[in-house]
Amino acid sequence: MHGGEAMVNRVALPVGLIELESRRLRLRQWRAADRAPFAALNADPAVMAHFPAPLTRQASDAMLARCAELIVMRGWGFWALERKADGAFIGLAGLHVPDARLPCAPCVEIGWRLAAAYWGQGYATEAAGAALAVAFDRLGLDEVVSFTTLTNTRSQAVMQRLGMRPAGCFAHPALAEDSPLRTLCLYRLSRTRWQDTHNQKE
Ligand SMILES: CC(C)(COP(=O)(O)OP(=O)(O)OC[C@H]1O[C@@H](n2cnc3c(N)ncnc32)[C@H](O)[C@@H]1OP(=O)(O)O)[C@@H](O)C(=O)NCCC(=O)NCCS
């Protein structure tokens, strides 16, 4: 990856820094003030139930810094998620290039992680819809994927609401063979399907 240029699906796409808005939310570059609320949600066992472990403050800060760095490099990434009505930091959502060893690689994934107080209000689906518009309309991707553990039914429900289709399971190469989190279900969304779904809603 080079500054201002994204290598996606083998196509070089020059992009500047992208920040976006949906009806109730802002997807923006990270700020120092996000560090404390991001660490709080990453330390919450309920939020991290489908990950190997909650994150320490140090690991959370490092993740935030990496997300910010990738947004600078590519113009897009896992953005900080802010509620427009009151400026509250509620989590992260956006696009990411996952581990190159995954069977779906090279690919761009869509993901989300919200503080538990903000679940059940449609924010993840709304933010992801805005990120998909960036993926397909601005970055010109042919496909976006998402994956999660078999037990993470809330996350799978977001994928289904977005019109993503189940595409089988795979074992995460970074996790131990006896890890209950190792088997992940994959969902895919093509640009054609997204455009069809999107046009029907308009
Ligand atoms: C995965 C996660 C983002 C899903 O959150 P969520 O709140 O279930 O999903 P949404 O924000 O899309 O909200 C949908 C819910 O809000 C409800 N809702 C309420 N008001 C709404 C509105 N105005 N518009 C849309 N939906 C609304 C929907 O009916 C739905 O409720 P249901 O779950 O009872 O069916 C959240 O559980 C999370 O952050 N988990 C921890 C991190 C994680 O696992 N991330 C994924 C790793 S792969």
Side-chain angles (χ1 to χ4, degrees), residues 21-183:
E21 285 190 11
S22 60
R23 188 169 65 84
R24 297 174 295 175
L25 304 169
R26 194 168 284 122
L27 286 76
R28 59 157 175 78
Q29 179 56 297
W30 296 81
R31 299 175 185 154
D34 302 329
R35 290 167 60 147
F38 191 52
L41 77 85
N42 281 324
D44 181 348
V47 172
M48 299 304 284
H50 306 283
F51 295 89
L55 298 187
T56 62
R57 175 67 194 245
Q58 193 181 16
S60 177
D61 287 353
M63 181 177 173
L64 184 155
R66 184 65 182 147
C67 289
E69 182 184 39
L70 287 171
I71 291 172
V72 170
M73 280 169 61
R74 296 178 174 142
W76 49 272
F78 279 146
W79 288 280
L81 199 53
E82 179 182 299
R83 186 161 60 182
K84 288 200 284 194
D86 56 4
F89 170 87
I90 69 169
L92 75 70
L95 307 168
H96 183 67
V97 179
D99 193 323
R101 294 169 297 169
L102 298 190
C104 55
C107 58
V108 174
E109 68 164 311
I110 186 159
W112 34 74
R113 186 181 300 179
L114 271 55
Y118 301 102
W119 296 4
Q121 298 174 67
Y123 291 145
T125 304
E126 180 177 323
L132 286 174
V134 167
F136 292 124
D137 294 342
R138 293 182 71 171
L139 303 180
L141 302 187
D142 291 329
E143 182 184 69
V144 172
V145 305
S146 195
F147 46 85
T148 190
T149 58
L150 298 175
T151 50
N152 196 344
T153 51
R154 274 188 171 269
S155 193
Q156 289 178 50
V158 177
M159 296 170 199
Q160 288 159 11
R161 281 193 290 273
L162 293 169
M164 305 189 86
R165 288 208 164 126
C169 296
F170 65 92
H172 199 296
L175 293 176
E177 281 191 20
D178 59 352
S179 168
L181 305 176
R182 189 161 190 255
T183 304

